[in-house]
């Protein structure tokens, strides 16, 4: 019996020591769960800094929304300091707004931009609302760029740190776990905050922000077999009514109702539960990077001892290496280009916009410029892409999701002293008759009825075709002296000007900034004054003729903004040859006109910009009609034909068959989009521009001082103008985009 007891005792002892030895040899796995919270999620980076300092090896990451962004980037190899740098380096607020540089827009778009304050989609003849403030293309671009080195990995458990994130099925409201596929696409879907970023379609599911159904996916992480879970909750609390100041904040409040109910139970399942103090911040406090990161560090250090105890149980340590894939100058060797999803736009159209070719080497910066060019067309809801390593370079695979809505209603408003009040209603339709085409119809309702209809078949850098027809009318008062013996005594007579023009043209572009156009134009001009004869109003026609001309136009535009540019160069040269006329006065002779404009803007320092604009126009041959002379005066930026602005003089006060004009603009930005400006313009209006070399003789001048505020409906400006040559002075006011 004693012998048996001894054997049992020895066996038990061996088992105990064996189990202890196994435990010592076994390693523990640590999971990290990161909640959503918008900009408050920057606190995750502060927590990661402390975890790295304590020696924690993260073995699995689960994240939602901003937690998916930070967690996903950590999972692909970025360390906490690199994440800190990424947040500081990028203007996340601008990225979320999908701001695109003006250089990305086609030359045709630049010529037609800056008119509309609102754009509404039309589907099945019903006017709707945009699905979100932003398409989220720039968010995807950044995520794709940062994860380029793992694009070939489709199973997220194969990442340097296994990872998954949560999204919400918009149609069913179900939770969707994203652990396979395209990593940047999955992260982008998880963070699609309703109303702010448009939904993402993955595997026939329309996905939005995962925070709606599961903002703290701890149960799903536990199922991955981790031993300890460290959780970071940056959700905060429901907002008071006084702080619900926008539609986006209200949507976030609604989305958070269920989430906040569940967080207490989920916190109990967490081994180390960290809740940074983010009470002073909201989901959109993107400018508070330093402060919010610091809240994460503070929260983690409060439980540093417990964190170190877990770290001590991990036998194998893992260190993040520097990646530096966020250097935009890294070269990409393109071996093959695959384009999927383009039904209404040809491959050549897409490649022309992207400006990439098989076999070439480009920087990430140039690649992103191409993505911006394609985004700027507004023809695609999403432009998804990935780089697949192949021998000697990369295969770039595009999955384009075309805009399902091809018809839009656009609205604008404007007031100035010439056209008075105008409400602009626009109908835009893409791929109406052919792939790549564009139809836009402007109708202006107000004091002066107008319309402008454009049809353009955009073939990129190949020859494109366009058709334009417009009707424009305005009137202003001309001061005349009825008695030659008393020149001081004058009266003002209304002058009416009507233009109906139709043109067909072909155009080629060399870059987004430069274009060359040739075409034929039919122009009907009706200009007259009214006088009362025998109690009847009669029209005194100055012109009532139809003209046919051919024209050529070369232009270059690299201004960074259409209004109040801070940098860039502008050039426009237009030649018109008037061939035929219905000849109301029966004295028409063929003639031509050459017009040129050069502009340059340069910001001397941060807020002070100097802009110079030189203009000239000459008439070759005798036009035989005063109406075709150049008419200078006023301040409008929407003059047509031969009318040009000139501060210090009234509309069309200066007239002749040729002119030279120089304008100097000194503009200071008091604060964002608010400008003080001083303008000086100098000109010579004469049929003989060179005047035997004395081009400064008989020069006229005018000046203006003003204030401009660039708003979402366009610039609102007030200017005071005068000329030392006369006793006249003018106040000018305009509201809204010029059209």
């Amino acid at each position: 019996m004693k012998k048996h007891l001894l054997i049992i005792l020895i066996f038990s002892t061996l088992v105990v020591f064996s189990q202890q030895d196994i435990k010592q040899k076994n390693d523990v796995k640590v999971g990290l769960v990161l909640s959503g919270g918008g900009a408050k999620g920057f606190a995750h980076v502060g927590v990661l800094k402390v975890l790295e300092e304590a020696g924690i090896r993260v073995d699995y990451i689960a994240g939602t929304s901003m937690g998916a962004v930070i967690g996903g980037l950590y999972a692909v190899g970025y360390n906490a300091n690199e994440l800190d740098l990424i947040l500081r380096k990028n203007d996340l607020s601008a990225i979320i707004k999908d701001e695109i540089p003006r250089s990305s827009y086609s030359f045709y778009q630049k010529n037609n931009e800056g008119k509309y304050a609102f754009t509404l989609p039309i589907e099945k003849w019903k006017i709707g609302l945009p699905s979100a403030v932003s398409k989220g293309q720039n968010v995807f671009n950044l995520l794709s760029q940062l994860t380029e080195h793992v694009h070939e990995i489709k199973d997220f458990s194969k990442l340097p740190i296994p990872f998954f994130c949560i999204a919400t099925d918009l149609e069913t409201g179900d939770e969707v776990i994203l652990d396979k596929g395209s990593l940047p696409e999955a992260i982008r879907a998880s963070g699609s905050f309703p109303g702010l970023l448009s939904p993402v379609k993955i595997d026939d599911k329309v996905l939005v922000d995962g925070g709606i159904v599961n903002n703290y996916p701890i149960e799903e992480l536990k199922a991955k077999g981790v031993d300890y879970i460290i959780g970071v909750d940056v959700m905060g609390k429901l907002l008071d009514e006084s702080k619900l100041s926008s539609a986006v904040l209200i949507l976030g409040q609604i989305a958070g109702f269920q989430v906040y109910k569940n967080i207490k139970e989920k916190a109990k399942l967490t081994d180390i539960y960290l809740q940074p103090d983010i009470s002073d911040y909201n989901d959109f406090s993107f400018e508070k990077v330093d402060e919010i990161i610091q809240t994460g560090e503070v929260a983690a250090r409060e439980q540093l001892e417990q964190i170190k105890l877990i770290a001590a149980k991990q036998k194998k340590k893992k260190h993040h290496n520097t990646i530096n894939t966020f250097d935009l100058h890294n070269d990409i060797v393109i071996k093959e280009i695959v384009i999927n999803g383009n039904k209404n736009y040809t491959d050549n159209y897409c490649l022309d916009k992207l400006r990439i070719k098989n076999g070439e080497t480009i920087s990430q910066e140039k690649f992103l410029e191409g993505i911006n060019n394609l985004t700027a067309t507004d023809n695609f809801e999403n432009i998804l892409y990935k780089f697949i390593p192949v021998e000697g370079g990369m295969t770039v695979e595009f999955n384009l999701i075309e805009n399902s809505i091809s018809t839009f209603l656009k609205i604008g408003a404007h007031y100035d002293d010439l056209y008075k009040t105008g409400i602009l209603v626009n109908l835009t339709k893409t791929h109406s008759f052919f792939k790549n085409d564009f139809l836009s119809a402007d109708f202006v309702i107000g004091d002066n009825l107008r319309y402008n209809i454009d049809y353009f078949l955009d073939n990129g850098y190949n020859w494109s075709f366009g058709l334009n027809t417009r009707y424009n009318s305005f009137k202003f008062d001309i001061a005349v002296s009825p008695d030659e013996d008393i020149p001081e005594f004058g009266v003002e007579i209304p002058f009416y000007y009507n233009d109906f023009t139709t043109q067909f043209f072909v155009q080629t572009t060399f870059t987004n900034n430069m274009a060359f156009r040739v075409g034929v134009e039919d122009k009907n001009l009706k200009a007259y004054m009214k006088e009362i004869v025998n109690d009847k109003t009669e029209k005194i026609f100055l012109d009532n003729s139809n003209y046919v001309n051919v024209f050529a136009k070369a232009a270059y535009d690299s201004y960074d903004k259409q209004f109040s540019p801070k940098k860039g160069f502008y050039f426009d040269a237009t030649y018109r040859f008037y061939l035929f006329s219905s000849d109301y006065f029966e004295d028409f002779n063929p003639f031509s006109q050459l017009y040129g404009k050069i502009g340059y803007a340069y910001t001397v320092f941060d807020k002070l910009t100097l802009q110079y604009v030189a203009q000239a126009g000459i008439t070759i041959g005798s036009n035989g009609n005063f109406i075709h002379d150049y008419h200078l005066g006023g301040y409008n930026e929407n003059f047509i034909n031969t009318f040009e602005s000139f501060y210090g003089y009234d509309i069309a006060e200066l007239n002749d068959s040729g002119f030279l004009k120089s304008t100097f603009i000194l503009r200071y930005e008091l604060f964002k989009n608010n400008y003080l400006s001083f303008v000086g313009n100098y000109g010579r209006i004469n049929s003989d521009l060179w005047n035997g070399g004395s081009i400064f003789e008989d020069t006229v001048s005018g000046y203006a001082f003003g204030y401009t505020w660039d708003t979402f409906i366009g610039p609102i400006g007030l200017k005071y103008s005068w000329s030392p040559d006369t006793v006249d002075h003018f106040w000018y006011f305009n509201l809204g985009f010029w059209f």
Side-chain angles (χ1 to χ4, degrees), residues 114 138 143 196 211 225 244 355 369 466 568 625 645 671 734:
N138 283 349
L143 293 171
L196 181 62
L244 295 173
R355 290 190 287 182
E369 285 179 7
N625 192 327
S645 63
F671 37 91
N734 70 275

Side-chain angles (χ1 to χ4, degrees), residues 19-87:
Q19 289 177 339
Q20 289 178 348
D21 186 54
I22 290 172
K23 285 185 178 181
Q24 288 176 354
K25 289 181 179 179
N26 282 349
D27 200 2
V28 297
K29 293 183 178 180
V30 174
L32 181 64
V33 58
L34 304 177
S35 81
K40 296 176 294 185
F42 296 164
H44 295 319
V45 176
V47 171
L48 288 171
K49 287 184 178 183
V50 177
L51 295 185
E52 288 180 2
E53 179 187 322
I56 285 287
R57 185 194 73 237
V58 178
D59 299 290
Y60 224 117
I61 301 175
T64 298
S65 198
M66 184 58 80
V69 175
I70 302 298
L73 294 179
Y74 198 72
V76 303
Y78 291 99
N79 61 39
N81 286 330
E82 287 172 328
L83 293 175
D84 186 311
L85 178 61
I86 290 169
L87 294 181

Side-chain angles (χ1 to χ4, degrees), residues 233-251:
D233 171 16
V234 293
M235 286 181 274
K237 299 178 180 179
L238 292 172
L239 299 176
D240 296 333
E241 182 273 335
S242 60
K243 296 182 179 180
L244 295 173
S245 56
S246 70
V248 174
L249 288 174
I250 292 172
L251 285 172

Side-chain angles (χ1 to χ4, degrees), residues 197-213:
L197 296 177
S198 63
V200 175
K201 191 173 184 179
I202 299 178
D203 296 332
D204 296 325
K205 293 181 180 179
V206 180
L207 305 178
V208 293
D209 198 300
I212 296 172
V213 291

